[in-house]
Every structure is written in C-alpha cells, then in structure tokens.
Amino acid sequence: TLAGSMHRMKDLERALARDVKAARQKGVTALSKDLFGVVDTLELASDAAARDAATPVAIAEGVGMVRGSFLKVLENHGVRAIEASVGDKFDPTLHDADRRLPLVEGATHNTLANVRVSGYEFGEEEKVLLRACKVDVFVDDGKSSSQ
C-alpha cells in the first residue's frame, strides 16, 4: 500500500540520517584526536614564548593566534575544550588525575591543583569525551605523592 511504502521510506530516511551522523562523528573524532598534539605543542610554545623575555612579543602573540585558529576550526566542527581551572572540583568523568598532591593552605580536598593538558568533548546534545583533562588533584587521604 501507499501508506506502508511511505512509512518504510520514513524509516529509511531516519536510518540514513542516523548513519550519516555516526559517520560524521567518527571522522571528526579521529581527526580531532590527531590534531590535539598540534594544539598542545602550540600551547606549550605560546606559554614558553610568553615567559621568555628574549622572545619578541609579535612571535609570542603569533603562536597564540595560530593555536587559537586551530581551536576555532575544531569548534566549528563541534569539538570544544573542556573548561578546567585550578580550584575546580575533580570530576572523574572529565578529568584524569596525573598526580595526587597533599593539601596546601587554602586548598580544598578533591580540587584541581594544576591543569596539565586540556581536555576536549564533541557534540551538542550528546557530548562525547574525546580526551580527558590531565590534572593534578589536592587530596587529604594520607596517600598523596609528589612524583
């Protein structure tokens, strides 16, 4: 019947849309993961240039601008940096603890002591963690170490 054919056609359209979305996510995820190393290197270079008084300001700013351009391209494709700052509460779904550090004055148990490497997620409605933030965490449990 015509109604049955229309129903099957709608089912096929939904399946195709779902498959296209999954293929796009897979492609963006793979490319993004490859680019994270470049973004990390640019961040290190930008930070080093900003700290080195011998580096001309224009070079330091230029490296920062290139890093910003990379991040903007990733954002245009649905990849977002995860906001993480010293003092934020540790969230194991977003953070990967590199080191557990003893509490210092003014610090709170289970909060970020340092953000070593930025994390990224993909998507709007259904976020997919592409890379967790690498962090150091203040803890008060007698098991802390400063490796």
Side-chain angles (χ1 to χ4, degrees):
T1 69
L2 182 58
S5 294
M6 294 297 284
H7 184 68
R8 284 191 297 279
M9 185 66 113
K10 290 287 184 192
D11 287 345
L12 286 172
E13 285 176 4
R14 282 191 290 273
L16 180 59
R18 189 176 51 246
D19 290 348
V20 167
K21 181 180 176 183
R24 178 179 181 272
Q25 180 176 334
K26 184 176 179 181
V28 168
T29 298
L31 179 60
S32 297
K33 287 181 178 181
D34 288 345
L35 291 176
F36 292 155
V38 176
V39 174
D40 293 344
T41 300
L42 288 169
E43 183 174 12
L44 290 171
S46 181
D47 290 348
R51 284 191 312 268
D52 183 1
T55 302
V57 172
I59 291 175
E61 289 175 353
V63 172
M65 288 171 59
V66 171
R67 179 180 177 273
S69 294
F70 262 94
L71 290 173
K72 187 65 176 167
V73 168
L74 290 171
E75 283 181 21
N76 289 341
H77 292 279
V79 176
R80 306 264 185 278
I82 296 170
E83 297 295 324
S85 301
V86 171
D88 289 352
K89 183 153 181 61
F90 176 74
D91 180 348
T93 64
L94 299 174
H95 306 134
D96 182 14
D98 275 348
R99 294 188 302 173
R100 298 160 52 97
L101 302 176
L103 285 177
V104 296
E105 188 174 329
T108 305
H109 172 71
N110 210 32
T111 59
L112 305 185
N114 184 29
V115 179
R116 295 174 167 270
V117 179
S118 298
Y120 298 91
E121 57 191 2
F122 173 75
E124 293 300 321
E125 309 93 37
E126 300 173 25
K127 294 188 188 297
V128 175
L129 181 66
L130 299 177
R131 182 175 79 178
C133 301
K134 302 280 186 194
V135 298
D136 296 334
V137 181
F138 286 121
V139 293
D140 185 18
D141 65 0
K143 300 178 186 175
S144 303
S145 67
S146 55
Q147 302 168 356

